[in-house]
Amino acid sequence: MKFDVEKLFHSFIRENNLDIQLSYIMPSGYEDAFGTFDITVKTLFLNKELLEKESEFKVLFYFYHELRHALQYIHTQKFPKPIRESINYVILYNGLCFKLVDGEWKTCRLVGNEEYFSLVYENLPYELDANLYARDMVKALLPKYTSDIESLYCSWLPQKSISSEEFSSIFRQIDSSINSDLS
């Protein structure tokens, strides 16, 4: 690989005033993911085993995607309202949902099919933003792969949009479920 990910990581966190760590040991449940960022432990997790098999542009895409999440959590005030309102909610393809409450992830499950929850996940404002950011960063670093990068970016775009009203409703359902579990 032409780029030293650790060097890029340290440069990025220094330039963006982030106090986070890098780990290659994926958290439980994320073994099949390329990466994830967890604000509760201030750690960017990269799946080195999976990424070693991928092209340079793909590695950097997921790397910058997750770094964007770190920025979204740590410098939330710098982002538009839809990102600020959605950043504490995680909605997975199987309806498993999480909400960050007082620095701890609370969980619940919503009823619905995988196709719907995939659409919800792809439409989350912070996911749309992270994908766009990753695309732009990697295009700047690897312009010779512009069409491949664009294809990867487009593969993460939702087929249909979800309205802010629908997101508000989903977030209320999560809040209600988590609050009833906390009682």
Side-chain angles (χ1 to χ4, degrees), residues 29-153:
Y30 288 85
E31 296 85 3
D32 294 333
F34 288 113
T36 190
F37 176 75
D38 186 349
I39 185 61
T40 64
V41 291
K42 292 186 176 181
T43 301
L44 170 69
F45 296 93
L46 292 177
N47 192 332
K48 200 171 195 175
E49 188 178 311
L50 278 184
L51 291 170
E52 283 176 344
K53 301 171 188 169
E54 295 297 338
S55 62
E56 190 172 44
F57 74 87
K58 196 179 256 190
V59 170
L60 290 176
F61 183 91
Y62 292 113
F63 172 72
Y64 281 110
H65 174 100
E66 296 305 332
L67 281 174
R68 183 62 165 192
H69 288 323
L71 286 171
Q72 293 165 340
Y73 279 108
I74 294 169
H75 298 301
T76 308
Q77 72 284 358
K78 294 181 178 180
F79 290 89
K81 187 177 180 181
I83 293 172
R84 292 192 316 266
E85 289 177 345
S86 64
I87 192 66
N88 291 324
Y89 294 91
V90 175
I91 301 163
L92 301 181
Y93 302 104
N94 60 2
L96 187 60
C97 301
F98 301 87
K99 182 179 182 189
L100 188 61
V101 179
D102 297 327
E104 188 178 320
W105 289 109
K106 304 295 180 186
T107 186
C108 70
R109 185 174 296 276
L110 298 181
V111 177
N113 65 45
E114 189 171 311
E115 184 178 330
Y116 174 72
F117 288 120
S118 295
L119 186 64
V120 170
Y121 172 83
E122 291 168 351
N123 270 279
L124 282 161
Y126 61 84
E127 289 296 338
L128 293 170
D129 175 73
N131 287 328
L132 181 61
Y133 181 79
R135 181 198 72 178
D136 293 348
M137 291 295 289
V138 181
K139 275 185 173 181
L141 289 170
L142 298 170
K144 69 181 180 181
Y145 293 108
T146 294
S147 65
D148 293 321
I149 296 162
E150 196 63 35
S151 291
L152 178 59
Y153 167 72

Side-chain angles (χ1 to χ4, degrees), residues 168-179:
S168 293
S169 173
I170 293 166
F171 296 155
R172 283 193 305 274
Q173 289 176 54
I174 294 169
D175 290 346
S176 176
S177 181
I178 287 174
N179 288 337

